[in-house]
Amino acid sequence: MFYIGCHLSISEGYAAMGRRALSIGANTFQFFTKNPRGRSSGKMPDPTDVSALCEILKENEMHAPLAHAPYTYNPCSADEKIRDYSTQAMKSELEFLESIDGAMYNFHPGCHVGAGADIGIGFTSSMLSKIITPGMKTTVLIETMAGKGTEIGKSFEEIAEIIDKTDPSVRDNVGVCLDTCHIHDGGYSVSEDPCAVLEEFDRIIGLDRLLAIHLNDSKNIMGSAKDRHEKLGLGHISLKSMETLINHPKLKDLPFYLETPNELDGYAEEIAMLKDMRKAD
């Protein structure tokens, strides 16, 4: 089945996000667990609302949603207080997500802020080893990054190193979310030769770790390291590449999430366009 969705606001509640996704032709969605740029604790989810979402997911054969950690979390910060805050906040959110079967949790691996990539990678791996518990149902996804500033995760090698340094007892709960804009801006030729990029990913990380795709165009040329998303077909990543990705035999069963600069009607148009591009299973 072709699972395609977009980023939705949690402000109206969990069940409302499920209904909104269906209204624009989506069968999955992504949401921020709280204000993406703030440090508020956020409201505790209403169990009745979450239960209603679970019923919507089941009744409509939707893929469980992808929860996205706020940008303010920085698990590899040189500041111990920021690392501790990020760890505790993410641990709490993962505990909640256990109530949604099949849910995944996506995060940015962080910025080392001058401490060096090796140290940053070690801090992020250490955090993963702390927030994931044996037997946990939720899978935690490391997002591929564009490489702006001191971001780690800008190369497949750095992602692989984070995973390899995570405690083996919980490593099975660690996956990757590939962002097409980020890897393009990070220097990977996803627009020209997406299959070659996937082969490189498989060689370094393993496609078995790839569990979700952020399908975004880019306002920037390849290798710019700037991370600015664009609507599909209006940036520097070809629509042909998008078509190849959604039909690739190793990816076609994964959930795809749009994070393009759109309102709901724009997302509905992009979802319809992608469905037209999708070949019959």
Side-chain angles (χ1 to χ4, degrees), residues 16 27-28 67 69 106 192 274:
N27 55 6
T28 188
N106 179 71
E192 299 300 323
L274 291 167

Side-chain angles (χ1 to χ4, degrees), residues 3-280:
Y3 292 111
I4 180 68
C6 64
H7 193 93
L8 297 175
S9 171
I10 198 174
S11 60
E12 295 179 27
Y14 287 86
M17 286 192 290
R19 291 189 291 268
R20 206 176 309 132
L22 290 170
S23 75
I24 57 172
N27 55 6
T28 188
F29 62 91
Q30 174 182 271
F31 66 96
F32 279 118
T33 51
K34 59 174 70 82
N35 183 341
R37 301 191 185 278
R39 291 193 63 171
S40 65
S41 59
K43 295 188 298 182
M44 288 299 293
D46 178 355
T48 303
D49 187 24
V50 176
S51 179
L53 169 63
C54 291
E55 285 299 314
I56 291 170
L57 298 175
K58 183 177 179 181
E59 290 172 3
N60 294 278
E61 298 183 335
M62 299 176 72
H63 193 287
L66 177 63
H68 197 307
Y71 300 135
T72 48
Y73 298 172
N74 186 4
C76 74
S77 172
D79 187 325
E80 185 177 2
K81 290 183 179 178
I82 294 176
R83 294 201 307 274
D84 288 346
Y85 162 74
S86 303
T87 299
Q88 293 306 312
M90 292 172 75
K91 186 175 181 63
S92 174
E93 290 167 2
L94 283 173
E95 289 171 355
F96 152 68
L97 286 171
E98 289 293 279
S99 63
I100 305 175
D101 286 344
M104 296 186 291
Y105 184 79
N106 179 71
F107 79 103
H108 291 184
C111 298
H112 62 75
V113 199
D118 288 343
I119 290 175
I121 286 168
F123 282 148
T124 297
S125 297
S126 175
M127 182 212 65
L128 285 170
S129 300
K130 293 174 182 176
I131 66 174
I132 301 173
T133 56
M136 192 174 78
K137 294 184 296 183
T138 305
T139 303
V140 181
L141 307 186
I142 305 167
E143 184 169 344
T144 57
M145 303 308 296
K148 63 181 180 179
T150 61
E151 281 179 343
I152 63 171
K154 64 182 180 296
S155 69
F156 297 159
E157 286 83 0
E158 288 186 349
I159 298 283
E161 190 173 352
I162 294 170
I163 296 171
D164 289 345
K165 288 184 175 180
T166 300
D167 191 311
S169 68
V170 297
R171 204 178 287 157
D172 285 349
N173 282 76
V174 181
V176 178
C177 176
L178 186 147
D179 187 303
T180 55
C181 171
H182 292 179
I183 64 170
H184 166 86
D185 285 17
Y188 290 93
S189 58
V190 66
S191 181
E192 299 300 323
D193 197 347
C195 291
V197 172
L198 290 176
E199 288 171 5
E200 184 173 358
F201 183 102
D202 193 28
R203 177 175 57 83
I204 296 169
I205 300 174
L207 281 173
D208 58 318
R209 294 277 183 189
L210 182 55
L211 300 178
I213 308 283
H214 282 164
L215 207 60
N216 301 306
D217 206 334
S218 173
K219 292 181 182 289
N220 305 297
I221 61 171
M222 187 180 78
S224 63
K226 290 183 178 179
D227 182 13
R228 293 188 65 206
H229 297 190
E230 180 57 283
K231 297 176 182 179
L232 300 187
L234 298 183
H236 290 271
I237 302 178
S238 67
L239 285 176
K240 181 64 177 175
S241 171
M242 301 295 184
E243 182 177 7
T244 298
L245 290 173
I246 64 174
N247 287 292
H248 192 283
K250 295 290 183 66
L251 307 186
K252 64 185 185 69
D253 294 325
L254 298 183
F256 292 82
Y257 301 94
L258 297 164
E259 296 178 317
T260 48
N262 271 309
E263 300 297 333
L264 277 182
D265 57 347
Y267 281 133
E269 291 174 4
E270 288 188 341
I271 288 169
M273 177 180 69
L274 291 167
K275 285 181 175 179
D276 285 343
M277 291 180 179
R278 173 76 172 208
K279 296 178 175 60

